[in-house]
Amino acid sequence: MGAIVALCCGVGMVGVIVGDPEPTRVSSSERPSPPPPAESAPSTSSSAPSPATTTVAPADPSPPPSAGPKVYRVGDKVRGGDFEFTVNSVKCGISQVGDSFLNRKAQGMFCRVNISVKNVTRSAHMFHADGTVTAQDAAGREYDADGTAGMYGNDDANGFLDEINPGNTVRANVFFDVPKGTKLKTVTFDAGLFTLAEDAVVNL
């Protein structure tokens, strides 16, 4: 009996020794601190400043404004066909051209346009004011030269069927019979039918 009791006690002791021990309690002060959070990478969101950009305005496709045709005035030299013309002066309000014996009376009034005509070609050419020189008013009405008044109003009938050699110049008075009170706006020199040159226009 004593042997049995000793055996039982020995087995109990072994169970106590080899059994799971009670887990050791650790206080909160002894617990290790958690590792600090890792630093986040720099943000690449749209809030970051974008690099500076330069805006270039598109080029204007429209061409530069044209200077337009040259405007000729009294005293300017202007080419018309075979001749170079210059309007020297203009006078209106003339009622009669000529003398007391040979004269021409105006239906309205005469406007006298004094011009110089120079042959700028290499051969002689005929100039006749009647049919070559016209005048226009502000309303667009066109007036032909009065050939008879031109004969009476020029020495040696200058401007009437003048044969002008190269480089020579003829000065003549051209008369236009216009209504009283009319103010001429332009004088036009016809370049002729057998030339590609444009007519010459002088503003008065």
Side-chain angles (χ1 to χ4, degrees):
M1 180 63 73
I4 294 170
V5 172
L7 179 61
C8 291
C9 291
V11 172
M13 290 297 291
V14 172
V16 172
I17 294 172
V18 298
D20 292 335
E22 184 180 357
T24 304
R25 297 180 181 275
V26 181
S27 66
S28 60
S29 61
E30 295 177 351
R31 293 176 184 173
S33 301
E39 294 184 2
S40 60
S43 174
T44 57
S45 64
S46 59
S47 61
S50 58
T53 57
T54 302
T55 303
V56 179
D60 187 2
S62 59
S66 176
K70 182 178 179 179
V71 176
Y72 296 97
R73 302 189 181 279
V74 174
D76 291 340
K77 294 179 173 59
V78 52
R79 177 74 180 268
D82 299 323
F83 303 102
E84 179 184 80
F85 298 96
T86 304
V87 175
N88 301 307
S89 62
V90 180
K91 181 180 179 180
C92 293
I94 302 171
S95 60
Q96 178 178 303
V97 178
D99 55 30
S100 56
F101 299 101
L102 299 174
N103 57 69
R104 175 79 163 176
K105 292 183 179 180
Q107 298 171 349
M109 67 175 185
F110 286 120
C111 283
R112 182 184 65 206
V113 180
N114 183 267
I115 63 172
S116 296
V117 185
K118 181 179 180 179
N119 184 347
V120 291
T121 68
R122 297 185 177 184
S123 59
H125 290 283
M126 184 73 68
F127 172 74
H128 184 47
D130 189 5
T132 300
V133 187
T134 57
Q136 298 78 33
D137 62 16
R141 295 178 294 186
E142 184 170 280
Y143 304 98
D144 289 335
D146 189 318
T148 303
M151 292 180 63
Y152 293 145
N154 282 287
D155 296 335
D156 299 326
N158 285 347
F160 180 77
L161 297 177
D162 288 316
E163 184 80 14
I164 306 176
N165 281 321
N168 284 346
T169 301
V170 169
R171 187 160 178 161
N173 292 318
V174 183
F175 294 88
F176 299 96
D177 194 342
V178 302
K180 292 181 179 179
T182 299
K183 184 176 180 179
L184 297 182
K185 182 180 180 181
T186 56
V187 170
T188 300
F189 300 95
D190 190 350
L193 297 176
F194 306 104
T195 177
L196 297 178
E198 296 182 357
D199 295 345
V201 180
V202 176
N203 291 339
L204 302 179

